[in-house]
Amino acid sequence: MLVDAIPPELVAELPLRLWGTDTELRIVQAIGRPELDYYLSSAGVLLTDGKERRYDISYSRHPDVSAHLRALRGEVVAWRTGPLGVMQACVAPVSDARGEACGVLGVAVDLGPAAVETKRRRDVEFILRTALDAISAPMSLSDENGRILIANQSYANALGVTTKEIAARTEREVFAQWDPGYGEWEIWDRITSGHMPGEFSWTGEGGRRYRSLVLEAREADAPVRVNIASDVTEEKALKNGIEDLTCRYRKILAVTRDPLVLLDGKGVVQDSSGQFEKLIGMPRIKIAGTDLRNLLAPSSRAQLTDLLEAQAEGAEKAALLLFCPAGGGAVLSDIALSSMRTASDDVIHLIVVRSWGDPAEQLASRRATEISEIDARIIELLAIGASNAKIAENLCISRQGLDYRLKTIRKQLDAPSRSALIARAYARRIFEDGSWPPKIRRPGPVIEMP
């Protein structure tokens, strides 16, 4: 069997599962990610009898079994399998020295993470393109080699070309094409070789003069250069553009549903949304420049300090903080903290308040929606499409016990059906952001009330 010739270490870290069967569809060898067996066996046609595992030939019309039977007849068959079709599988016949079929060789690839990442990238690209086209100033994003990734319509108009004509080309190639006499290559080369932020001027369509500010934003080890151009033919146009951008930024903060506040590396407020101003009971102009710890109860100040010090840069963290509004009283808030670094290597913290209110009511609501570990596992398995039978088997509980737990969970989340339950879990942010397979967000730290 060919599977025997493949070192298991070769595929151990890949989302693959390879197997081989004999002519009676008994699995004689399997290597790769063992957790993918759950997906392969989720349909219930892969039987286990002691150490022997085989496909149930009595279900010959099932896609998994049908594919293996067709492979025994000499076909190469590809199909989607697993819950919600998260795996791409392919089987092919294996012949002996006489050319007769002696088994089937199969491979399955987990497409779940790739599908999630593809959707995420498409969503980000759509949002980015929409945002860029809403900005009146010419703007483009390019990679570290100067190759244009995205440009808005204003940028293309300034060059007198279409967005398709400049996509995937370097800005130097574009400039050289429509402005052969461009005289600032030395400045441009200094900027693109790492001297950022930098500025350079150029002449666009109709002889209008533009000045570009080039910034660099880093995502892991892949820098992205942001070219924001301003038409400096008329100083008034430049001023209007800046005011327009500022207005859009302020409007976004003003209509943001959740209260949010932007801090520098020391925890001093740089900016805040309109909802945060309402939560604190102070105007933005008074909040800006204030150490956020001064707006917290003493019991939460050290907690915020620890959070900021532990997360100079990294994944989102959650916590409960007790704010003290200007009008008196206390507001208990469930916050999410994320951090990033600017091009000048300064740390910026973003705090989003996900829920807030009277401390007693908030704690009571938190306890009411707390989910036990076994209920969390049930919801996670439901989210990937596992059947009730498979969930009961996986968690070693009876069907009656599972039915009782499902009834309790549906009542707790006010969900009349299986699909509604999963939708409520996503809507209430019970699942961790960006996780696949879905993972329940475990309870965060609980503070002591002063």
Side-chain angles (χ1 to χ4, degrees):
M1 186 65 67
L2 294 176
V3 177
D4 297 327
I6 301 176
E9 297 81 4
L10 186 64
V11 295
E13 300 302 323
L14 299 175
L16 299 174
R17 189 67 173 168
L18 291 88
W19 67 92
T21 76
D22 58 17
T23 55
E24 296 183 2
L25 300 190
R26 287 190 294 261
I27 295 181
V28 297
Q29 181 74 12
I31 61 173
R33 299 283 285 274
E35 63 267 25
L36 299 187
D37 266 349
Y38 170 75
Y39 294 140
L40 293 173
S41 59
S42 63
V45 295
L46 192 58
L47 303 179
T48 301
D49 183 9
K51 294 184 178 181
E52 181 181 283
R53 303 176 69 213
R54 62 183 177 84
Y55 283 94
D56 190 348
I57 301 178
S58 63
Y59 290 97
S60 60
R61 292 189 177 183
H62 189 280
D64 292 8
V65 180
S66 173
H68 285 74
L69 293 175
R70 289 169 60 189
L72 285 176
R73 295 194 294 269
E75 295 184 52
V76 176
V77 185
W79 77 106
R80 294 291 285 268
T81 186
L84 304 178
V86 298
M87 302 190 72
Q88 178 69 42
C90 183
V91 290
V94 178
S95 303
D96 57 20
R98 296 172 297 176
E100 297 180 357
C102 63
V104 173
L105 182 65
V107 60
V109 181
D110 183 8
L111 301 179
V116 172
E117 178 63 17
T118 298
K119 183 179 183 304
R120 185 190 71 83
R121 288 180 178 274
R122 287 176 179 172
D123 290 346
V124 169
E125 182 176 345
F126 173 78
I127 294 172
L128 186 56
R129 286 187 180 277
T130 303
L132 288 182
D133 283 335
I135 297 174
S136 59
M139 186 171 179
S140 70
L141 304 182
S142 58
D143 61 19
E144 58 184 337
N145 298 316
R147 193 168 301 279
I148 298 174
L149 304 174
I150 299 177
N152 65 3
Q153 189 61 49
S154 296
Y155 187 84
N157 292 343
L159 301 179
V161 295
T162 66
T163 54
K164 289 185 178 180
E165 288 178 302
I166 58 178
R169 300 178 64 187
T170 66
E171 291 193 311
R172 183 173 185 132
E173 291 173 345
V174 175
F175 289 154
Q177 177 180 346
W178 52 259
D179 190 3
Y182 181 67
E184 296 196 28
W185 286 127
E186 182 179 351
I187 298 176
W188 171 257
D189 290 340
R190 279 176 48 79
I191 293 173
T192 55
S193 64
H195 293 78
M196 295 190 198
E199 293 186 357
F200 69 100
S201 299
W202 46 278
T203 302
E205 178 73 3
R208 300 191 69 83
R209 290 291 295 172
Y210 294 87
R211 177 165 290 276
S212 282
L213 173 64
V214 181
L215 306 172
E216 185 176 78
R218 284 193 170 270
E219 175 66 26
D221 293 327
V224 175
R225 295 195 178 106
V226 183
N227 181 348
I228 307 173
S230 300
D231 186 342
V232 294
T233 307
E234 302 170 8
E235 290 297 328
K236 184 177 180 180
L238 175 61
K239 181 179 179 180
N240 290 341
I242 295 175
E243 290 177 351
D244 180 59
L245 289 174
T246 302
C247 180
R248 290 175 187 272
Y249 167 71
R250 292 306 320 161
K251 283 183 178 179
I252 291 173
L253 286 182
V255 301
T256 299
R257 183 185 62 180
D258 295 330
L260 60 86
V261 57
L262 195 66
L263 311 176
D264 65 10
K266 297 180 180 180
V268 176
V269 177
Q270 302 301 300
D271 210 340
S272 57
S273 68
Q275 287 295 330
F276 188 80
E277 296 172 29
K278 294 179 181 179
L279 187 153
I280 295 299
M282 295 171 58
R284 180 175 63 90
I285 192 170
K286 289 188 176 182
I287 298 175
T290 302
D291 191 316
L292 188 64
R293 281 166 284 243
N294 294 335
L295 305 178
L296 295 173
S299 58
S300 290
R301 293 171 185 171
Q303 185 183 7
L304 177 60
T305 298
D306 292 341
L307 280 173
L308 297 179
E309 291 178 351
Q311 186 174 343
E313 186 174 10
E316 179 183 284
K317 292 186 180 298
L320 289 177
L321 296 179
L322 194 62
F323 284 96
C324 297
V331 176
L332 185 59
S333 303
D334 176 14
I335 67 101
L337 170 69
S338 56
S339 304
M340 63 201 84
R341 288 186 179 273
T342 65
S344 57
D345 207 36
D346 294 326
V347 177
I348 294 178
H349 302 291
L350 177 65
I351 289 181
V352 179
V353 182
R354 299 184 294 199
S355 66
W356 65 97
D358 177 78
E361 294 178 0
Q362 283 289 98
L363 291 175
S365 175
R366 188 180 179 88
R367 296 189 189 100
T369 57
E370 282 183 351
I371 297 175
S372 65
E373 185 60 30
I374 188 170
D375 288 347
R377 291 289 298 123
I378 291 173
I379 296 176
E380 289 170 350
L381 290 170
L382 284 174
I384 63 172
S387 65
N388 286 5
K390 182 56 64 178
I391 294 174
E393 177 186 349
N394 188 279
L395 300 180
C396 298
I397 59 177
S398 67
R399 289 294 298 274
Q400 293 80 8
L402 176 61
D403 290 341
Y404 172 77
R405 296 307 319 161
L406 285 172
K407 182 178 179 181
T408 302
I409 297 171
R410 285 173 178 164
K411 182 178 180 181
Q412 185 178 6
L413 297 182
D414 190 24
S417 65
R418 179 189 184 112
S419 58
L421 190 153
I422 302 305
R424 293 289 169 81
Y426 274 108
R428 297 188 183 185
R429 303 184 73 175
I430 292 175
F431 288 126
E432 293 180 358
D433 296 333
S435 65
W436 184 263
K439 292 292 182 184
I440 292 292
R441 192 190 304 274
R442 267 49 181 185
V446 177
I447 66 172
E448 295 182 0
M449 300 298 295

